């Protein structure tokens, strides 16, 4: 019999009235994600999603990898199904997991019987199968307390499923149950991690990137597109809004006091992002800001940059250490791309002595020679919307 995946639901099981809606969304997300790997049947029973290949052409390994990146799942079991018959269960384990047992120093069998019509209890199943396996693998001793390997037997409604240790799922909530938000994506380490973290809470993410050609190169833009593509492995296809930012940066350079350059620029970014966000049905902004990391990330700086928008700004990295952020960047596979050396527009015209404790009054005064609205309108006219999918060619 072919392999099948049993994917266990995470926090969804705690949901009350909304549970059904969450489950439907998750099943839909998994179904969509599996399409790239062939013909799979995806169904949900007993708080478990079953993913079953329908023919021999299905790419089981590819599908299995993809399942690790689907939010809403806590653990993943790659199983083999068999009939609900103790001899068949034993034979299937022997054939499917026998090699693993030969490599382990000790083992135990853990059984679950949700189909109570099966004539043996869980304990009886474990004891019977454990006894037979111990005889067949004399070098692998039974150890019920701290086994090196565990064989799982799940007697469920449709069949019995046998598998080795489960693997951790991506956690979080199914993409799409928590609304939509707009992430300000730079080419750095932080913002892709921020997008991932909010997507993990069930939010559909869209991105906006400010691009200052010719001060920043085409390569810098490709790098950002590639970061977005990498994040789609978790959050599904997304739109990236590329905004031409050159004129705004030049206007700031020519008309404003240098110590406020970065703050004024960030206020434009926030305001433009909010306008695009509202037009696209996003209810919040996401940034990779991190308290104290740079001059523009002090409390006072965040107040003056946040003051130009009124939807919530999610900053999931606010209290993390760089090391913790880097660990996540490595885990989700964005780190290598983030450290490529192409400049972000934040590094163009950076002040020598940036203001770290600005006030709103100072900012309004510093911006007095700018026609903010005209600059914003002009930038909005440059917006290019690009849809990114994980199976697109890499951008860089
Ligand atoms: P990152 O590693 O995400 O670039 P950072 O530590 O370099 O963050 P800043 O450059 O001060 O911090 O930017 C703070 C946040 O502002 C970023 O995390 C990102 O959300 C947003 N941001 C910065 N530059 C851009 C840009 N060119 N386009 C869109 N958003 C940007
Ligand atoms: Mg940056």
């Amino acid at each position: 019999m072919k392999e099948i995946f049993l994917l266990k639901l995470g926090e969804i099981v705690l949901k009350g009235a909304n549970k059904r809606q969450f489950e439907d969304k998750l099943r839909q997300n998994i179904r969509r994600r599996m399409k790239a790997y062939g013909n799979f049947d995806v169904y949900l029973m007993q708080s478990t999603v079953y993913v079953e290949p329908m023919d021999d052409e299905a790419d089981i390994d590819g599908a299995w990898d993809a399942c690790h990146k689907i939010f809403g799942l806590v653990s993943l079991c790659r199983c083999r199904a068999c009939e609900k018959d103790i001899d068949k269960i034993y034979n299937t384990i022997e054939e499917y997991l026998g090699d693993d047992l030969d490599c382990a120093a000790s083992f135990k069998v853990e059984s679950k019987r949700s189909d109570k019509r099966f004539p043996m209890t869980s304990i009886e199943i474990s004891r019977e199968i454990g006894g037979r396996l111990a005889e067949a693998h004399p070098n692998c001793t039974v150890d019920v307390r701290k086994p090196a390997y565990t064989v799982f037997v799940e007697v469920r409604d449709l069949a019995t499923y046998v598998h080795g240790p489960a693997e951790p799922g991506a956690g979080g909530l199914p993409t799409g149950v928590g609304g939509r938000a707009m992430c300000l994506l730079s080419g750095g380490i932080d913002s892709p991690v921020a997008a991932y973290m909010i997507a993990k809470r069930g939010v559909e993410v869209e991105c906006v990137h400010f691009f200052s050609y010719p001060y920043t190169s085409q390569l810098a833009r490709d790098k950002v597109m590639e970061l977005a593509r990498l994040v789609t492995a978790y959050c599904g296809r997304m739109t990236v809004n590329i905004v031409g930012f050159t004129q705004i940066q030049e206007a700031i350079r020519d008309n404003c006091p240098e110590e406020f350059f970065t703050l004024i620029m960030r206020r434009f970014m926030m305001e433009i992002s909010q306008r695009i966000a509202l037009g696209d049905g996003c209810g919040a902004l996401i940034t990779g800001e991190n308290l104290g990391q740079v001059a523009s990330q002090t409390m006072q700086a965040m107040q003056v940059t946040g003051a130009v928008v009124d939807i919530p700004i999610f900053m999931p990295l606010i209290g993390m250490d760089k090391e913790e952020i880097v660990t996540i960047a490595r885990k989700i596979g964005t780190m290598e791309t983030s450290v490529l050396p192409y400049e972000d527009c934040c590094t163009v015209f950076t002040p020598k002595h940036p203001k770290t404790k600005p006030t709103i009054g100072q900012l309004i005064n510093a911006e007095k020679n700018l026609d903010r609205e005209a600059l914003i309108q002009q930038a909005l006219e440059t917006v290019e919307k690009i849809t990114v999918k994980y199976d697109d060619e890499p951008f860089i």
Side-chain angles (χ1 to χ4, degrees), residues 38-221:
N39 195 6
F40 286 86
D41 194 11
V42 178
Y43 48 96
L44 196 148
M45 282 187 322
Q46 299 170 301
S47 290
T48 301
V49 182
Y50 295 69
V51 178
E52 189 175 352
M54 299 315 286
D55 52 44
D56 293 337
E57 262 90 84
D59 171 7
I60 309 247
D61 290 333
W64 178 242
D65 275 350
C67 285
H68 288 74
K69 296 177 178 156
I70 298 175
F71 293 129
L73 299 168
V74 271
S75 71
L76 319 174
C77 311
R78 188 166 171 164
C79 320
R80 187 157 288 181
C82 63
E83 277 173 47
K84 290 186 259 186
D85 169 280
I86 196 74
D87 292 330
K88 297 221 163 98
I89 295 173
Y90 171 73
N91 290 337
T92 307
I93 294 173
E94 196 48 65
E95 193 188 307
Y96 188 47
L97 305 173
D99 288 349
D100 288 357
L101 281 163
D102 282 334
C103 299
S106 60
F107 82 102
K108 76 166 175 178
V109 178
E110 212 174 290
S111 307
K112 250 188 268 163
R113 178 188 62 143
S114 52
D115 177 4
K116 302 293 180 207
R117 291 167 308 177
F118 190 75
M120 296 166 81
T121 65
S122 314
I123 293 171
E124 286 165 353
I125 301 169
S126 298
R127 202 174 286 150
E128 176 63 28
I129 300 285
R132 292 198 205 182
L133 289 173
E135 240 172 75
H137 302 268
N139 294 329
C140 185
T141 55
V142 175
D143 180 350
V144 290
R145 274 178 226 289
K146 263 191 154 187
Y149 189 82
T150 304
V151 171
F152 292 87
V153 178
E154 301 191 36
V155 183
R156 290 172 164 257
D157 284 355
L158 294 182
T160 298
Y161 303 89
V162 304
H163 60 88
E167 293 183 16
L173 295 171
T175 305
V177 298
R180 207 174 159 80
M182 179 72 75
C183 181
L184 284 79
L185 188 68
S186 69
I189 296 170
D190 303 336
S191 45
V193 173
Y196 157 83
M197 287 182 69
I198 297 301
K200 190 171 181 211
R201 297 310 300 164
V203 175
E204 251 175 68
V205 173
E206 181 171 328
C207 290
V208 56
H209 176 67
F210 296 89
F211 177 59
S212 290
Y213 190 79
Y215 301 106
T216 57
S217 65
Q218 179 65 33
L219 277 171
R221 178 182 156 145

Side-chain angles (χ1 to χ4, degrees), residues 228-301:
R229 190 188 71 83
L230 292 169
V231 176
T232 60
Y234 289 89
C235 62
R237 70 161 56 199
M238 71 165 142
T239 302
V240 181
N241 297 272
I242 303 278
V243 185
F245 206 49
T246 315
Q247 268 177 300
I248 290 181
Q249 288 204 287
E250 287 176 344
I252 298 172
R253 179 197 58 193
D254 296 341
N255 295 289
C256 304
E258 191 193 290
E259 59 185 343
F260 293 103
F261 278 2
T262 309
L263 292 166
I264 297 173
M265 183 190 77
R266 296 198 49 72
R267 277 160 62 88
F268 273 104
M269 283 188 183
M270 289 297 198
E271 195 162 349
I272 293 168
S273 299
Q274 170 165 284
R275 298 226 195 157
I276 304 173
L278 293 177
D280 287 0
C282 298
L285 300 179
I286 306 167
T287 74
E289 282 166 284
N290 177 246
L291 199 56
Q293 195 184 82
V294 288
S296 60
Q297 294 175 15
T298 63
M299 257 181 241
Q300 294 86 346

